[in-house]
């Protein structure tokens, strides 16, 4: 038996299928595009939202691609990335690699400045403290611990490059701001394993960094060096490194150096964002995250309801699955003997 639709049009069981498919397709489109949090409009990548002509941008809506090389885990699934956008992802990943390299270049500049400050005569105690400082530099530059640590930091950065591909970015983010205007991400919700894995690979480097900081502080010669001392506080503990990587990389994945960065020091720790009006400086990272979410939800009841679906991002797994070159190589220009005489692989052209 057929059914009449409109005037004089009969639809039988067979020719109803096109209409059913059309309705199903429309329903899927509505479900795929949340009203409050548009897909492919992650505030972390606002500079690359669709609609610009001067740079490569994200897809306006999720599309299925099969030719992604930098983030191949997003092939054959709807994502915000396309192949030409990979030039932008590569540019910003290179920024993070060079930024990490600059830490060692500045460290070596300070080391050379300390050597140049050594006077012709020096009391025995000051001479011993000077030698401890130079030995601490050599331990910090040891190739094995720095390679372990900075390969993991590059893997983190690669994972954040691929986070741009996620249409459902809002499930992994603590968002602030009214939905009627441009929102901001105040925290990326990361898996607990991320901090543990970072520190597992960076603990040895962190111990060397703490020892160097103490040695420079104790040496009168090192303190007189004309170059500023590199701030290594981010490597002092697991929580410090976790917070630093989150604040620097996760919240600013598409960052390029500015004139102010160069004047103030690119890697000065960011001021801690105000989150919950608590003054307990020893609050754990988890407590701070929960407090930030509660504060955001209290200020914006609608936003609190939108964030009911919560997921955690394993940014290191995302980085490992990427096509970015995350292998650490010390920057050119460092003395070979400072790296323990280890043979270094050539940087790809």
């Amino acid at each position: 038996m057929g059914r009449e639709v409109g005037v004089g049009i009969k639809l039988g069981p067979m020719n109803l299928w096109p209409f059913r498919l059309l309705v199903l397709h429309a329903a899927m489109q509505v479900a795929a595009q949340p009203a409050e949090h548009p897909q492919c409009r992650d505030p972390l990548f606002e500079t690359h939202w669709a609609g610009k002509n001067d740079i490569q941008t994200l897809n306006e809506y999720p599309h299925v691609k099969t030719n992604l090389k930098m983030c191949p885990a997003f092939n054959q699934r709807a994502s915000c990335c396309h192949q030409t956008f990979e030039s932008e992802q590569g540019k910003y990943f290179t920024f993070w690699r060079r930024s990490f390299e600059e830490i060692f270049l500045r460290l070596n500049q300070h080391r050379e400045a300390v050597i140049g400050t050594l006077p012709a005569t020096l009391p025995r105690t000051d001479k011993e403290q000077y030698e401890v400082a130079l030995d601490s530099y050599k331990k910090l530059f040891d190739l094995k611990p720095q390679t372990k640590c900075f390969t993991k930091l590059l893997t983190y950065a690669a994972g954040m490059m691929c986070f741009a591909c996620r249409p459902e970015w809002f499930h992994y983010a603590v968002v602030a701001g009214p939905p009627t205007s441009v929102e901001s991400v105040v925290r990326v919700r990361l898996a607990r394993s991320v901090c543990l894995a970072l520190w597992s690979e960076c603990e040895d480097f962190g111990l060397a960094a703490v020892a160097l900081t103490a040695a420079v502080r104790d040496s009168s010669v090192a303190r007189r060096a004309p170059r500023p001392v590199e701030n290594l506080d981010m490597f002092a503990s697991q929580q410090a490194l976790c917070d630093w990587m989150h604040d620097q990389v996760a919240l600013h994945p598409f960052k390029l150096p500015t004139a102010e960065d160069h004047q103030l020091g690119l890697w000065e720790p960011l001021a801690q964002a105000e989150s919950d009006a608590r003054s307990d400086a020893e609050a754990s990272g988890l407590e701070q995250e929960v407090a930030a979410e509660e504060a955001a939800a209290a200020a914006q009841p609608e936003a609190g309801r939108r964030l009911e679906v919560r997921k955690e991002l394993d940014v290191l797994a995302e980085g490992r699955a990427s096509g970015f070159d995350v292998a650490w190589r010390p920057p050119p220009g460092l003395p070979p003997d400072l790296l323990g005489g280890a043979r270094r692989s050539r940087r790809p052209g």
Side-chain angles (χ1 to χ4, degrees), residues 72-91:
F74 289 89
N75 280 325
Q76 298 181 342
R77 55 189 282 196
S79 83
C80 303
C81 290
H82 54 89
Q83 193 173 36
T84 54
F85 181 68
E86 292 183 339
S87 62
E88 293 296 300
Q89 292 171 301
K91 177 176 71 176

Side-chain angles (χ1 to χ4, degrees), residues 124-142:
R124 177 181 175 182
T125 301
D126 291 348
K127 176 68 173 177
E128 291 175 349
Q129 292 172 336
Y130 165 80
E131 291 175 348
V132 169
L134 290 189
D135 186 60
S136 297
Y137 264 113
K138 191 165 186 178
K139 290 179 179 177
L140 186 72
F141 276 86
D142 184 69

Side-chain angles (χ1 to χ4, degrees), residues 15-254:
N15 55 15
L16 273 174
W17 278 108
F19 291 90
R20 290 173 178 169
L21 290 174
L22 184 61
V23 171
L24 178 61
H25 176 72
M28 291 175 64
Q29 291 294 101
V30 171
Q33 182 73 12
E36 293 103 342
H37 288 305
Q39 296 176 333
C40 302
R41 291 259 172 173
D42 185 343
L44 295 177
F45 306 97
E46 180 186 353
T47 56
H48 288 70
W49 286 355
K52 297 182 178 180
N53 298 320
D54 55 335
I55 57 173
Q56 293 295 332
T57 62
L58 294 161
N59 292 327
E60 185 174 4
Y61 302 104
H63 292 288
V64 176
K65 300 293 182 181
T66 59
N67 58 354
L68 299 178
K69 295 180 180 179
M70 294 297 97
C71 302
F74 289 89
N75 280 325
Q76 298 181 342
R77 55 189 282 196
S79 83
C80 303
C81 290
H82 54 89
Q83 193 173 36
T84 54
F85 181 68
E86 292 183 339
S87 62
E88 293 296 300
Q89 292 171 301
K91 177 176 71 176
Y92 290 99
F93 178 77
T94 298
F95 162 75
W96 287 113
R97 177 182 285 279
R98 290 178 178 170
S99 297
F100 294 148
E101 291 175 348
E102 286 176 7
I103 294 176
F104 290 92
L105 293 176
R106 291 193 298 269
L107 282 166
N108 185 52
Q109 289 169 353
H110 184 265
R111 183 189 71 92
E112 292 177 344
V114 171
I115 295 174
T117 307
L118 182 66
T121 59
L122 198 65
R124 177 181 175 182
T125 301
D126 291 348
K127 176 68 173 177
E128 291 175 349
Q129 292 172 336
Y130 165 80
E131 291 175 348
V132 169
L134 290 189
D135 186 60
S136 297
Y137 264 113
K138 191 165 186 178
K139 290 179 179 177
L140 186 72
F141 276 86
D142 184 69
L143 195 57
K144 184 176 180 179
Q146 71 162 279
T147 299
K148 285 174 54 182
C149 181
F150 282 82
T151 293
K152 193 63 72 174
L153 300 188
L154 285 173
T155 303
Y156 188 116
M160 285 309 303
M161 298 302 104
C162 291
F163 187 59
C165 300
R166 286 194 172 273
E168 76 286 16
W169 59 269
F170 38 85
H171 293 326
Y172 299 87
V174 180
V175 182
T180 54
S181 64
V182 176
E183 299 172 309
S184 62
V185 173
V186 297
R187 190 163 187 87
V188 178
R189 196 177 294 108
L190 300 174
R192 293 173 180 269
S193 60
V194 171
C195 283
L196 297 175
L198 278 179
W199 190 242
S200 174
E201 298 300 297
C202 290
E203 184 175 9
D204 290 342
F205 184 85
L207 293 174
V210 171
L212 174 63
T213 300
V216 170
R217 183 178 61 244
D218 293 340
S219 171
S220 60
V221 176
R223 292 197 304 269
R224 289 198 299 268
R227 297 195 67 90
V229 180
E230 183 71 11
N231 188 339
L232 298 174
D233 289 348
M234 68 287 277
F235 295 103
S237 68
Q238 174 180 307
Q239 192 61 53
L241 181 60
C242 242
D243 290 345
W244 181 70
M245 285 297 290
H246 174 269
D247 293 347
Q248 293 284 352
V249 183
L251 289 185
H252 307 278
F254 275 19

